[in-house]
Amino acid sequence: LFIITTALWVPHWKSRTALAERTLEWQTDNYVMLAFLGEEALLEGDLESSKPLLEKALQDAPIDLKYRHHIEYLLALWAGKSGQLNEAASQLESILESHRSSNTTPPIHYLVQAAYIYDVHLDQTRKAESYLKSALDAPWDGNFSKDAAIRLADIYIKTHRTSQAIELLGFLAANYPGNDEIIQKFRAIQGIASINSPTHFAVQEK
């Protein structure tokens, strides 16, 4: 019913936001539209408006629906943006554990987001590295896999594993030759490796 209704209404509404708001006027428990509006508010930085929408979406979503994970992920993002970093990490852990217990592969961006929180905010680099490696073990998924690889390379650089950073950034540079960030990181780590090489010191001594 919702798909048919949407198909009929789309030409008459100027935005998906307007369509979602109109839908909720007569389908107050439409968790898809609630989550959409909650996510939109979240991305716009309206934390006050987004949380009740997301909580209502989660409340109304069927218990066995995979879409619940998406809503839970958005609530974890809300916690992170609100400065509740340990809560955000806990929520992400719960989502990932649910995937593990059901033998399903979590979306790569769930793993990348968890890694970001652990590495940048909670100073748990080892756990972040584990999640990024898990992300890269999954089939390549465009920007999310690329982001996971860049972040893992940054961890290699930070922890002085230069050869591993060069290998990973070399792979990225070959596959994304137009990406300035990747090319700059690759050249920088090559320069560091060159300076630290025995050959460089031998030349300096001469």
Side-chain angles (χ1 to χ4, degrees):
L1 174 63
F2 172 70
I3 294 174
I4 295 172
T5 303
T6 301
L8 292 173
W9 279 1
V10 164
H12 304 290
W13 294 92
K14 294 182 179 180
S15 71
R16 288 182 297 172
T17 300
L19 175 60
E21 291 172 344
R22 178 66 180 88
T23 300
L24 288 174
E25 289 179 10
W26 63 283
Q27 284 186 348
T28 57
D29 61 348
N30 189 312
Y31 57 89
V32 175
M33 293 296 97
L34 287 163
F36 169 76
L37 291 175
E39 181 175 10
E40 187 176 64
L42 181 64
L43 294 175
E44 291 175 352
D46 186 356
L47 301 181
E48 183 177 355
S49 297
S50 64
K51 189 174 185 182
L53 288 165
L54 294 173
E55 289 179 333
K56 180 71 164 59
L58 188 62
Q59 174 186 320
D60 293 337
I63 194 68
D64 60 345
L65 189 73
K66 291 182 180 179
Y67 198 78
R68 288 182 67 86
H69 286 143
H70 173 63
I71 302 170
E72 290 167 345
Y73 172 74
L74 293 175
L75 283 166
L77 291 186
W78 185 93
K81 287 180 177 290
S82 300
Q84 302 172 31
L85 298 170
N86 285 297
E87 177 63 22
S90 177
Q91 291 179 7
L92 288 167
E93 287 286 357
S94 177
I95 298 169
L96 295 172
E97 177 57 35
S98 176
H99 280 85
R100 283 192 290 268
S101 63
S102 61
N103 291 318
T104 57
T105 302
I108 291 175
H109 60 282
Y110 290 10
L111 295 163
V112 174
Q113 186 63 40
Y116 173 78
I117 290 175
Y118 280 119
D119 182 35
V120 175
H121 295 292
L122 300 181
D123 196 27
Q124 296 186 41
T125 303
R126 185 172 297 179
K127 181 171 282 191
E129 181 177 338
S130 174
Y131 279 135
L132 292 172
K133 287 180 176 178
S134 294
L136 294 178
D137 283 340
W140 195 263
D141 182 22
N143 287 332
F144 291 125
S145 294
K146 173 171 63 67
D147 290 346
I150 291 173
R151 188 157 295 282
L152 182 58
D154 287 341
I155 288 177
Y156 287 152
I157 293 170
K158 181 169 64 174
T159 54
H160 309 293
R161 287 175 282 175
T162 304
S163 61
Q164 289 169 279
I166 288 175
E167 181 180 0
L168 188 50
L169 287 169
F171 165 79
L172 289 169
N175 285 277
Y176 299 93
N179 187 298
D180 291 340
E181 179 189 7
I182 290 171
I183 299 303
Q184 289 173 7
K185 286 178 181 286
F186 184 44
R187 289 175 178 169
I189 195 63
Q190 283 181 313
I192 292 172
S194 175
I195 290 172
N196 292 334
S197 69
T199 304
H200 174 82
F201 287 112
V203 171
Q204 290 288 93
E205 289 174 1
K206 290 181 181 180

